[in-house]
């Protein structure tokens, strides 16, 4: 989720709210269309916010694989490691190089 996505959602909701409160008892067809367009824009912006939440939780690899050891109680990951298999693999390789294994 980015700040721009959040601002787009807020803008679309404010526009829809302004249109809705300005409606008369019997709104014209173009007014109803304007409201529907603003609500569609708000829905698209809300869906874009949810797209940031990925299985890995990783900003660098949002569509990457989840580490199979994540949440394993018998062989837990070190503290601070996340769910991203690619990042955890990089950490494993760096640790092996520091220990002299290649």
């Amino acid at each position: 989720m980015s700040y721009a996505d959040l601002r787009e959602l807020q803008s679309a909701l404010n526009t829809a709210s302004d249109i809705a409160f300005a409606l008369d008892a019997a709104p014209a067809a173009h007014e109803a269309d304007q409201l529907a367009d603003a609500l569609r824009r708000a829905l698209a912006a809300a869906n874009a916010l949810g797209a940031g939440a990925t299985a890995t939780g990783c900003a660098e690899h949002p569509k990457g694989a989840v580490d199979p050891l994540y949440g394993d109680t018998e062989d837990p990951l070190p503290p601070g490691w996340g769910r991203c298999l690619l990042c955890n693999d990089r950490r494993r390789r760096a640790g092996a190089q520091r220990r002299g294994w290649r």
Side-chain angles (χ1 to χ4, degrees), residues 41-79:
R41 189 175 135 221
L43 181 59
N47 286 334
L49 288 178
T54 63
T56 63
C58 176
E60 190 175 347
H61 309 107
K63 296 184 190 247
V66 175
D67 193 324
L69 294 179
Y70 182 79
D72 188 352
T73 55
E74 294 179 19
D75 189 13
L77 293 172

Side-chain angles (χ1 to χ4, degrees), residues 1-87:
M1 171 179 85
S2 71
Y3 180 73
D5 293 334
L6 184 58
R7 291 296 302 155
E8 174 62 22
L9 175 60
Q10 291 170 341
S11 174
L13 288 173
N14 284 334
T15 300
S17 177
D18 290 346
I19 293 169
F21 283 107
L23 292 177
D24 294 329
H30 76 281
E31 291 174 323
D33 289 340
Q34 286 177 337
L35 178 58
D37 288 340
L39 290 172
R40 279 189 208 97
R41 189 175 135 221
L43 181 59
N47 286 334
L49 288 178
T54 63
T56 63
C58 176
E60 190 175 347
H61 309 107
K63 296 184 190 247
V66 175
D67 193 324
L69 294 179
Y70 182 79
D72 188 352
T73 55
E74 294 179 19
D75 189 13
L77 293 172
W81 285 30
R83 294 183 304 251
C84 181
L85 177 63
L86 299 172
C87 289

